[in-house]
Amino acid sequence: AQKVTQAQTEISVVEKEDVTLDCVYETRDTTYYLFWYKQPPSGELVFLIRRNSFDEQNEISGRYSWNFQKSTSSFNFTITASQVVDSAVYFCALSEAGATNKLIFGTGTLLAVQP
Amino acid sequence: DGGITQSPKYLFRKEGQNVTLSCEQNLNHDAMYWYRQDPGQGLRLIYYSQIVNDFQKGDIAEGYSVSREKKESFPLTVTSAQKNPTAFYLCASSALRGGTGNTIYFGEGSWLTVV
């Protein structure tokens, strides 16, 4: 069975601190896709990144970076020099193999960045 | 502007009533989805549709119904059979290039409260 675990329910940091959000996944498929979404207080889910199982290169986008390690089934997300605007719930998700394109979500991590 | 529009943002329902949540997208996406989010939990799939006039049950379809008469529209009806409908509902859409792994984009969501 496929599953996504985000063990950190809430994280609180002070502005300018670095913070890492953990994501561990389970799947029997050799081809799969991993995603991160941000949900600000307004409610909509904002797409951040998509990574396929064949590409283990880490990615950096501004203050955001992602570390994908198949050996530990992890896809962790780091925010460098956090800002108050980063406060949100962050979801990690796994796309099932096959033609359905369905997403399986973790329970999310609430990040609170204090000024 | 391109995107996914959900309405209404807030909806109150009396017990025993059916209500319909609207979802429209102008991204020319083939697939559309409805997810439910409960406090402190991840998103769970209610229904999805990959083509007009066809849709499939997700993980928690009981008490819900959908239709897909037009490519851009995928309304969700919460029926009186849904025992605990109070939740945040998110509509989403994606392309279907290559079947799986396409990025799913979300609307701003609708809050449904039973009074």
Side-chain angles (χ1 to χ4, degrees):
Chain A
Q2 281 139 327
K3 184 179 178 181
V4 175
T5 301
Q6 295 180 255
Q8 303 153 308
T9 305
E10 295 186 32
I11 300 175
S12 183
V13 299
V14 177
E15 210 170 16
K16 298 184 182 177
E17 284 186 29
D18 298 347
V19 58
T20 295
L21 309 181
D22 297 332
C23 173
V24 175
Y25 62 92
E26 297 175 28
T27 180
R28 295 178 184 167
D29 297 323
T30 55
T31 301
Y32 52 90
Y33 298 82
L34 296 164
F35 300 81
W36 275 96
Y37 287 87
K38 174 183 179 180
Q39 186 176 41
S42 59
E44 68 177 302
L45 260 70
V46 178
F47 165 72
L48 296 178
I49 190 171
R50 167 186 178 271
R51 173 69 70 209
N52 74 54
S53 55
F54 298 108
D55 184 0
E56 282 194 79
Q57 284 190 343
N58 291 333
E59 176 143 346
I60 299 175
S61 176
R63 296 184 297 106
Y64 295 172
S65 62
W66 290 269
N67 182 5
F68 176 30
Q69 291 194 338
K70 290 177 72 172
S71 61
T72 57
S73 297
S74 64
F75 187 42
N76 296 338
F77 173 31
T78 297
I79 301 175
T80 302
S82 60
Q83 300 176 2
V84 173
V85 294
D86 296 327
S87 297
V89 180
Y90 291 86
F91 289 97
C92 181
L94 169 71
S95 178
E96 292 183 337
T100 61
N101 205 49
K102 294 192 299 182
L103 283 176
I104 299 165
F105 284 86
T107 52
T109 297
L110 173 60
L111 174 64
V113 182
Q114 309 297 333
Chain B
D1 286 346
I4 301 167
T5 302
Q6 290 186 238
S7 63
K9 179 70 173 179
Y10 300 95
L11 185 61
F12 296 90
R13 188 195 94 172
K14 292 182 179 179
E15 293 209 21
Q17 281 184 339
N18 294 350
V19 293
T20 297
L21 306 180
S22 169
C23 178
E24 304 275 334
Q25 56 98 359
N26 61 4
L27 301 169
N28 199 32
H29 283 164
D30 291 307
M32 296 188 72
Y33 313 80
W34 275 104
Y35 283 87
R36 169 178 171 146
Q37 184 179 18
D38 293 284
Q41 298 189 29
L43 280 70
R44 293 180 291 168
L45 183 64
I46 305 172
Y47 267 99
Y48 65 99
S49 168
Q50 296 181 309
I51 193 171
V52 173
N53 292 324
D54 186 53
F55 45 82
Q56 307 295 327
K57 292 182 179 180
D59 301 319
I60 55 166
E62 184 176 353
Y64 301 97
S65 66
V66 293
S67 63
R68 187 88 186 274
E69 298 177 0
K70 298 185 296 182
K71 183 177 182 178
E72 58 271 22
S73 178
F74 192 41
L76 173 73
T77 297
V78 185
T79 75
S80 56
Q82 169 49 238
K83 297 179 181 178
N84 185 21
T86 296
F88 188 52
Y89 292 88
L90 285 151
C91 179
S93 71
S94 75
L96 279 178
R97 291 182 292 271
T100 191
N102 294 280
T103 298
I104 295 179
Y105 297 94
F106 288 82
E108 294 187 347
S110 294
W111 288 97
L112 173 62
T113 303
V114 173
V115 296

